[in-house]
Amino acid sequence: LGWASEPEVSFPLLYEMAAIGTTLGIMFRETGVALERLGCRMSGSLTFKDPLTRHREVLPVNGKEPRMKRGCFVAPTATVSGDVSLGDGTNVWYGAAVRGDVAGVTIGSGCNIAHRAVVQCGMGEGAKVTIGNKVLIGSGATVNAAEVCDGASVGMGATVEPGAKVEEGAAVAPGAVVAAGTVVAKGTLVSGAPAAFVRNLTADETSKMAADIAALTGGVAAHTAELGKTFAEIKEEKEAYPFSKKHVSTLDDEFGLIEPQLETIW
């Protein structure tokens, strides 16, 4: 029986090896790109081309362009299109879509359209969407040609169908379906499919709804600062990562390094 460990390898040497590997990787990638272009030219009319469409967070549709007041945040993977108006400090988070392709969509101040939520107009008369101030549309929720009043909350995965109205301070439970033309009374909680009255909200619950919206809004500054960094700043941050004996996944991902581990030999 005995104990043994791998030979010690200095971090500067590991860094040099990683740098060489990175350089070789860049060379191979660039060579591959050059060969790809040459092959496309030689293929002529038989070349298969896959078009690349650049994502745009805000885009006009049918000659109508979104209007946003100061302090609005639209995440890089979100989409706001067409006849849409966003009030002061309203946020559209990652993967969400706000579509005013045919009719208008008006969203007040201090609202949060959470991840993967969809807010869209309908196709006929009265197909617009109106959302008041300090409203939360939860992750994966859908509001289609409906009205959601001030301080209301639509839970995760819930649906508000065309012509429905969620009054002030009301809450739609996660996964609920507010049927077309239904009115959710002020300060009440509804749940189910179709959504039905459960009870009146307490003062504590109303306060918590407002606090949740404020918390989401408060997190915008950090995201805005990070997304606003230049490529040079991001590169500089990566290069400043300290080497340590503790496993750091970001270092492994960046340089392909694995910390030497002690092994037991029996």
Side-chain angles (χ1 to χ4, degrees), residues 44 52-53 74 87 109 138 144 182 202 209:
L52 176 64
T53 301
V74 179
S109 301
N144 187 1
T182 302
T202 65
M209 284 167 54

Side-chain angles (χ1 to χ4, degrees), residues 11-44:
F11 280 109
L13 178 57
L14 288 175
Y15 182 84
E16 291 176 3
M17 293 171 62
I20 293 172
T22 301
T23 303
L24 289 174
I26 293 172
M27 292 171 59
F28 290 143
R29 287 201 303 270
E30 291 180 349
T31 302
V33 170
L35 291 173
E36 174 71 14
R37 291 174 179 170
L38 177 60
C40 288
R41 293 193 186 98
M42 294 176 66
S43 299

Side-chain angles (χ1 to χ4, degrees), residues 44-88:
S45 60
L46 299 178
T47 302
F48 172 78
K49 296 182 179 179
D50 189 10
L52 176 64
T53 301
R54 183 176 67 86
H55 173 76
R56 290 186 291 169
E57 295 90 346
V58 179
L59 67 153
V61 175
N62 297 327
K64 298 179 180 179
E65 188 170 352
R67 304 170 304 282
M68 299 187 297
K69 294 186 178 180
R70 64 180 182 179
C72 290
F73 171 75
V74 179
T77 54
T79 300
V80 177
S81 62
D83 186 10
V84 176
S85 174
L86 301 183
D88 294 340

Side-chain angles (χ1 to χ4, degrees), residues 112-135:
N112 280 278
I113 313 301
H115 311 81
R116 299 176 289 101
V118 176
V119 177
Q120 62 182 8
C121 62
M123 299 300 293
E125 185 178 352
K128 66 179 182 179
V129 177
T130 303
I131 295 177
N133 300 317
K134 296 183 178 179
V135 171

